[in-house]
Amino acid sequence: MSAEIEIDDALYSRQRYVLGDGAMQKMARSSVLLVGMDGLGIEIAKNIVLAGVKRLSIQDWNVAASYIDLSSQFFLTSEDVRSNRNRAEVVRPKLADLNPYVTVDFLTAPFTLESDIGYLKDYQCVILVDADITLQLRVNYFCRNQTEQIKFIAASLHGMFGSAFCDFGDAFIVSDINGEEAKEVFVADITKAQRGVVTCLENTMHRLETGDVITFREVSGMDFVNGKQFEVTVESPYAFSIGDTRGPQYETYLTGGIATQIKLPRRISFESLESQLRTPSILPTDLQKMETAADLHLGFLALAKFREQFERMPNIRCANDAAKVIHLAGILNLTMKEPLAELNTALLQQLSFSAQGSFPPLACALGGVVAQEGLKAVTGKFSPLMQWLYLDSSEITTLLKDEEPSSYMPRGDRYDGLRACVGDTACERLASAHIFMVGCGAIGCEMLKNYALLGLGINGLISITDHDLIEKSNLNRQFLFRSQHIQKPKSVVAAFAAQEINPSVKITAQQMKVGPQTEQMYSDQFFSKQDIVINALDNVETRRYMDSRCVTNQKPLLDSGTLGAKGHIQVIVPHLTESYVSQQDPVEHDIPYCTVKSFPAVTEHTIQWARDKFESAFMMKPMIYNKFWSSHGSPESVIQKLKDGKNLENLSLLVKTVANQPTTWSSCCYLARRKFEKYFNHKARNLLHAFPLDTRLKDGTLFWQSPKRPPIPLLFDSKNSLHREFVAVTARLLAEVYNVKMNNQDLLPEKMEKVISEVEIASWQPSFKTIETDESVKRPDPSTTCIDDLQTVILLLEQAVQTGRLKSDVSSLKPVVFEKDSETNGHIDYIFTASVSLQSCRLLAENYPVDVIK
């Protein structure tokens, strides 16, 4: 087996979380051939390169750049058209610039029916864009007849209509059909019956489907089921059956147990292109026009026949050519295994009318789908397309005014492809538009690229704002940015990149947040000038704010977002649709305080615990500390107030901070090491002291039963990288909070080990604090904690003043705001090490692999 390829986590972190290392490794070893560099082809190529395959070869034999291409081919320029340059040759260096880990080469060999295609054996996936149907059939036959079948994809875009076809061979293995985490539920009961029914604890929804496979662990009584696999039949949202459990091996269920879904690989068999032409398996994409896809299947085949007969595509808005296409579609319909009763001639006419055109938004959408299918082909991750997909934007034609055919004809400019689809009037309306887009991340980059290709705002204005700076992790999916742009404003760089695509576009780029604090900038007068507003945001709060501004000013709003491999879009039109806030996400129930603090049962609980610790130690406590001194003045003033018997809020927290405040890097390490002992050893001992293993509840059942697990105290091991990393990252964050100087050399393992070895750890002494077990009890307010011995507090503060630890002008601490997107600030490292360490002492780590947690 070949050695593992090192994955650049700083670049691929977001994608890595979605796909997993197994899929990333397969991708990094894969070679893909892409033939055809029109607008659809460049979208596919861009996405595949960003994803990180080993090699992408592009081939576009004997095809020069044209003005039609400029409508959707964002890496071509007017100069390339005037110079008659080959499309693939022009775009190769620009594609290579997207990702330093991907080799992009340009093949010059002819790609025709007579060509030798033996070199296709060098690729795991072959993608043909806008190829003749006879060539598609030949290549598909070749791919299927290799010992290791080559995955084959064909796609084409004609005006406002697009198609895609996949054939991944006779025995394609899908390792994970949906990318979702394996579902897991706690068991309340398992019946002994012909249909043994498993009931979930506390009526929790299991979210399983009939046919899923599960296994059990920690079941007491009916021990036989532990470690065995069972196929599920769903009985209700809260129960499922696992087959016959009446046998003698199935003893009576007593208590506990966890059912975990097992995600088994699936074998999928594809049919060849030749077979699928007559009996197409088409994925429906629009439930409002279910019959459209079947008509488009015939329409695209008719276009292929037309091109074969006349060696050209139908002329723009030519009724005679459209009639020929419809006639060919009728003949082809008779050859189908299930012919249509009636053809949609109006749809086929629109297909013919715009066949020479190019519609940028559809190229973007279909290019994303086809690229994703290519990644599925080489990784086996996610369910592939079975086997045809048709997308269309035909609704637009119903909004267009009746115009003379001449308004759709080419004029030798970059909008020829768009004009062939929508006509001159629509192009002029787009050109005069004023739009406001908030956010220039992954979606924002794609939007801005499309707007530049559409010529939107060339006589109006595109206003964009984004307060973020570019990070390395952005480069994997925000294609307008390059490595030289890191730490530059997203909006400024995105605007510049869009104007490189179309120099005529007018864009004003700002770096402001939108919210009440910027309403002087983004006033009602500003909104009144906009024709449409676009959200390209990553948070709900700002979405709601933008929605309220659009409702107030009666402006259309486009909202969209992504989560892993999922996405959504919502079109909001005044007086026609509901607004964004009309629908609310289901209420997320908070994890009970006692569960997070003392009885974590699943990974989410430990992550929440670590997140709470971060907020408390590095943000809230420093903020409260600073506020205390700003409210009460100097230490001498505070001491006098205490002597006068005054009750000061947050005094308990202040005292602890003063007593433990580190002043050197070594003292930061000492405090961090003691926190490890407190969190993962002493706390576990206190739980076992308060609730020994044989503790029973009032009803006689054991206290320590699923979902509660008795902890095992962790013994710190300086050789253990996880233990050492927790101390190092905690010490680093403490140094940041307390303004202690340190450098990267201090974090070297040998130096950390030396400092940590000198820390004296107090032996565990039983704590007699009450451990909360009531799930209804809320988190206590730290400001209300009482101090019993006020004289001790006064003495401690006086000593701190005398020794210089507290000065009259108390230095402010630096609260650390959690930031997940930085690869170097240590915040995610803290959450990871704290969460996994907690899982280790709660026996959860074996159930939740480290890569899943991270």
Side-chain angles (χ1 to χ4, degrees):
M1 184 176 177
S2 55
E4 277 203 357
I5 297 172
E6 184 176 352
I7 305 296
D8 185 347
D9 194 60
L11 176 64
Y12 291 119
S13 58
R14 303 301 184 276
Q15 179 176 291
R16 194 175 188 179
Y17 301 154
V18 176
L19 298 181
D21 279 357
M24 292 293 296
Q25 290 288 333
K26 289 179 181 177
M27 233 180 344
R29 292 185 174 87
S30 299
S31 297
V32 177
L33 172 65
L34 174 59
V35 181
M37 277 291 106
D38 61 6
L40 175 59
I42 195 64
E43 290 283 359
I44 298 168
K46 173 255 294 179
N47 293 327
I48 288 177
V49 171
L50 288 174
V53 297
K54 177 184 178 182
R55 173 191 178 198
L56 175 69
S57 299
I58 56 175
Q59 192 166 3
D60 208 23
W61 181 70
N62 205 28
V63 181
S66 69
Y67 280 110
I68 290 284
D69 291 320
L70 293 186
S71 293
S72 55
Q73 227 284 20
F74 48 81
F75 277 159
L76 294 178
T77 66
S78 298
E79 180 57 35
D80 297 324
V81 175
R82 289 190 289 269
S83 302
N84 211 35
R85 296 185 65 189
N86 178 275
R87 297 184 302 191
E89 183 182 7
V90 172
V91 304
R92 189 211 67 79
K94 297 179 181 181
L95 286 170
D97 196 36
L98 290 174
N99 192 333
Y101 296 102
V102 179
T103 299
V104 181
D105 52 25
F106 159 51
L107 304 185
T108 58
F111 198 79
T112 65
L113 283 173
E114 295 76 30
S115 302
D116 178 7
I117 58 174
Y119 65 93
L120 300 187
K121 294 179 181 179
D122 296 336
Y123 301 91
Q124 285 72 52
C125 180
V126 173
I127 304 174
L128 304 186
V129 177
D130 195 29
D132 292 338
I133 191 67
T134 49
L135 185 56
Q136 292 182 40
L137 288 165
R138 183 191 177 206
V139 173
N140 180 244
Y141 179 84
F142 178 88
C143 291
R144 289 187 67 86
N145 282 276
Q146 302 310 303
T147 304
E148 187 172 338
Q149 291 179 316
I150 302 168
K151 285 72 177 178
F152 172 85
I153 301 174
S156 58
L157 184 71
H158 297 297
M160 291 181 290
F161 303 87
S163 76
F165 170 80
C166 292
D167 174 13
F168 296 168
D170 297 318
F172 181 69
I173 303 299
V174 179
S175 61
D176 184 349
I177 63 168
N178 56 21
E180 300 287 339
E181 289 187 26
K183 300 174 181 66
E184 188 165 86
V185 292
F186 292 102
V187 175
D189 185 41
I190 307 176
T191 63
K192 280 178 65 68
Q194 186 174 358
R195 291 169 64 88
V197 175
V198 180
T199 305
C200 301
L201 187 67
E202 298 175 350
N203 277 337
T204 304
M205 295 179 67
H206 52 69
R207 296 173 295 134
L208 296 169
E209 298 178 6
T210 296
D212 284 345
V213 176
I214 63 161
T215 187
F216 292 95
R217 68 178 188 276
E218 300 181 26
V219 172
S220 178
M222 197 180 286
D223 296 47
F224 179 77
V225 299
N226 289 325
K228 304 293 191 302
Q229 294 185 9
F230 299 89
E231 187 171 312
V232 165
T233 301
V234 172
E235 302 290 337
S236 76
Y238 315 103
F240 54 89
S241 59
I242 57 173
D244 194 340
T245 56
R246 295 174 297 177
Q249 67 272 37
Y250 295 97
E251 297 183 18
T252 301
Y253 172 85
L254 293 177
T255 186
I258 301 171
T260 304
Q261 181 188 16
I262 298 176
K263 305 194 76 170
L264 300 174
R266 293 192 184 180
R267 181 180 180 274
I268 298 178
S269 179
F270 288 77
E271 292 184 357
S272 68
L273 175 60
E274 184 178 20
S275 299
Q276 280 282 306
L277 290 178
R278 289 186 62 250
T279 57
S281 300
I282 302 175
L283 177 70
T285 57
D286 192 333
L287 300 180
Q288 291 187 320
K289 44 184 183 180
M290 293 290 288
E291 300 299 323
T292 298
D295 282 292
L296 287 178
H297 182 72
L298 292 170
F300 271 79
L301 293 181
L303 283 181
K305 284 291 183 183
F306 185 99
R307 180 157 62 177
E308 189 178 310
Q309 288 183 19
F310 300 101
E311 297 183 349
R312 64 176 176 85
M313 294 301 289
N315 288 321
I316 298 171
R317 310 298 291 186
C318 177
N320 287 335
D321 282 356
K324 292 173 184 175
V325 170
I326 294 170
H327 176 70
L328 289 170
I331 295 173
L332 289 165
N333 186 38
L334 299 176
T335 68
M336 295 290 118
K337 186 174 182 180
E338 296 181 4
L340 297 179
E342 184 179 359
L343 295 181
N344 186 340
T345 55
L347 184 72
L348 296 176
Q349 184 184 59
Q350 288 299 327
L351 174 62
S352 177
F353 278 178
S354 66
Q356 288 193 28
S358 181
F359 192 53
L362 189 58
C364 177
L366 186 60
V369 171
V370 174
Q372 178 71 4
E373 294 305 313
L375 300 180
K376 292 176 188 176
V378 299
T379 64
K381 185 84 171 186
F382 306 128
S383 296
L385 169 63
M386 297 294 294
Q387 290 188 246
W388 292 93
L389 174 74
Y390 288 96
L391 295 178
D392 72 275
S393 304
S394 57
E395 295 85 354
I396 293 176
T397 61
T398 63
L399 304 175
L400 301 177
K401 296 180 179 179
D402 292 331
E403 297 185 58
E404 293 296 321
S406 59
S407 70
Y408 293 86
M409 297 304 163
R411 300 185 180 181
D413 64 27
R414 66 177 307 116
Y415 308 111
D416 280 352
L418 176 63
R419 188 177 292 110
C421 298
V422 302
D424 236 6
T425 301
C427 287
E428 290 170 2
R429 289 184 64 185
L430 289 169
S432 61
H434 287 72
I435 69 169
F436 178 38
M437 185 174 79
V438 184
C440 297
I443 292 176
C445 283
E446 293 295 329
M447 296 280 203
L448 204 54
K449 173 256 297 176
N450 289 340
Y451 298 151
L453 292 170
L454 289 166
L456 198 149
I458 60 174
N459 298 322
L461 181 65
I462 299 176
S463 301
I464 61 175
T465 185
D466 192 317
H467 68 280
D468 278 348
L469 301 180
I470 297 166
E471 303 281 351
K472 185 176 180 179
S473 63
N474 300 149
L475 306 184
N476 171 240
R477 62 200 186 282
Q478 300 173 19
F479 92 104
L480 295 181
F481 309 144
R482 305 291 183 271
S483 57
Q484 65 267 27
H485 298 141
I486 291 174
Q487 289 304 301
K488 292 183 179 179
K490 285 186 176 182
S491 58
V492 174
V493 175
F496 179 81
Q499 288 170 326
E500 282 195 322
I501 294 171
N502 185 351
S504 300
V505 171
K506 296 176 183 176
I507 305 176
T508 176
Q510 294 157 344
Q511 298 148 56
M512 308 284 287
K513 285 186 176 182
V514 290
Q517 69 275 18
T518 55
E519 286 187 4
Q520 189 172 1
M521 167 81 70
Y522 304 120
S523 62
D524 287 346
Q525 184 181 7
F526 172 84
F527 274 89
S528 69
K529 296 177 181 178
Q530 309 306 319
D531 294 301
I532 191 167
V533 178
I534 297 97
N535 279 350
L537 294 160
D538 61 359
N539 69 88
V540 172
E541 182 182 355
T542 311
R543 283 189 171 100
R544 288 175 177 161
Y545 173 79
M546 289 298 296
D547 179 70
S548 70
R549 297 305 306 279
C550 289
V551 169
T552 300
N553 291 279
Q554 300 291 285
K555 293 298 177 181
L557 172 66
L558 290 182
D559 183 76
S560 55
T562 60
L563 178 64
K566 301 174 184 176
H568 86 273
I569 184 166
Q570 184 176 358
V571 180
I572 301 162
V573 181
H575 309 297
L576 185 62
T577 69
E578 63 183 12
S579 68
Y580 177 80
V581 298
S582 299
Q583 295 286 336
Q584 297 290 331
D585 292 333
V587 176
E588 292 188 6
H589 297 289
D590 291 337
I591 305 169
Y593 167 69
C594 69
T595 299
V596 174
K597 183 175 176 61
S598 303
F599 308 107
V602 295
T603 294
E604 288 79 2
H605 296 167
T606 63
I607 293 174
Q608 184 62 55
W609 174 85
R611 187 76 168 80
D612 289 350
K613 285 297 180 187
F614 185 101
E615 293 288 336
S616 172
F618 309 124
M619 189 178 79
M620 294 307 300
K621 288 181 179 178
M623 288 176 64
I624 293 172
Y625 180 87
N626 293 342
K627 184 180 178 181
F628 181 92
W629 290 116
S630 65
S631 300
H632 299 295
S634 67
E636 292 83 1
S637 173
V638 169
I639 292 170
Q640 187 57 52
K641 289 176 182 178
L642 294 176
K643 288 181 177 179
D644 293 341
K646 291 185 178 180
N647 183 27
L648 303 183
E649 190 179 34
N650 294 314
L651 183 61
S652 175
L653 186 145
L654 172 84
V655 170
K656 289 181 180 179
T657 303
V658 171
N660 296 310
Q661 184 169 355
T663 56
T664 65
W665 170 245
S666 295
S667 58
C668 289
C669 294
Y670 295 166
L671 185 55
R673 171 65 182 87
R674 291 182 183 124
K675 284 185 179 293
F676 182 98
E677 201 72 14
K678 174 184 175 181
Y679 295 159
F680 311 122
N681 185 284
H682 290 184
K683 187 174 179 179
R685 289 173 180 263
N686 285 330
L687 278 167
L688 293 172
H689 178 260
F691 305 106
L693 295 180
D694 58 356
T695 301
R696 292 186 178 272
L697 302 173
K698 291 179 180 179
D699 62 2
T701 58
L702 285 170
F703 177 86
W704 292 110
Q705 61 174 312
S706 181
K708 290 187 177 73
R709 289 181 174 85
I712 295 180
L714 284 190
L715 296 177
F716 182 81
D717 180 1
S718 62
K719 304 295 184 184
N720 185 309
S721 60
L722 182 68
H723 297 186
R724 192 173 61 243
E725 187 178 352
F726 172 83
V727 173
V729 72
T730 303
R732 176 185 165 190
L733 290 167
L734 289 169
E736 185 176 353
V737 168
Y738 290 99
N739 303 298
V740 174
K741 291 183 179 180
M742 53 84 62
N743 56 57
N744 291 334
Q745 294 295 314
D746 293 324
L747 296 171
L748 293 174
E750 55 272 18
K751 289 196 173 184
M752 285 299 305
E753 188 171 344
K754 183 178 184 300
V755 174
I756 293 170
S757 65
E758 297 171 355
V759 180
E760 293 184 7
I761 300 298
S763 59
W764 171 73
Q765 297 294 327
S767 170
F768 295 97
K769 288 183 180 179
T770 300
I771 297 176
E772 188 59 67
T773 60
D774 185 349
E775 294 187 356
S776 64
V777 173
K778 302 297 183 182
R779 183 187 308 275
D781 183 352
S783 66
T784 60
T785 306
C786 297
I787 291 183
D788 297 326
D789 190 351
L790 210 55
Q791 290 304 315
T792 302
V793 172
I794 294 171
L795 181 61
L796 185 148
L797 292 176
E798 287 178 336
Q799 288 176 345
V801 171
Q802 291 170 6
T803 58
R805 295 188 66 186
L806 272 181
K807 299 180 180 178
S808 296
D809 53 338
V810 179
S811 299
S812 295
L813 303 186
K814 179 184 175 184
V816 177
V817 179
F818 183 76
E819 173 53 64
K820 65 179 174 56
D821 289 327
S822 173
E823 305 294 336
T824 59
N825 62 12
H827 297 187
I828 290 295
D829 295 329
Y830 177 86
I831 303 298
F832 172 66
T833 56
S835 174
V836 177
S837 296
L838 184 61
Q839 290 186 52
S840 297
C841 70
R842 299 308 169 95
L843 298 180
L844 295 178
E846 63 182 8
N847 305 324
Y848 298 90
V850 165
D851 63 332
V852 172
I853 300 162
K854 196 161 189 179

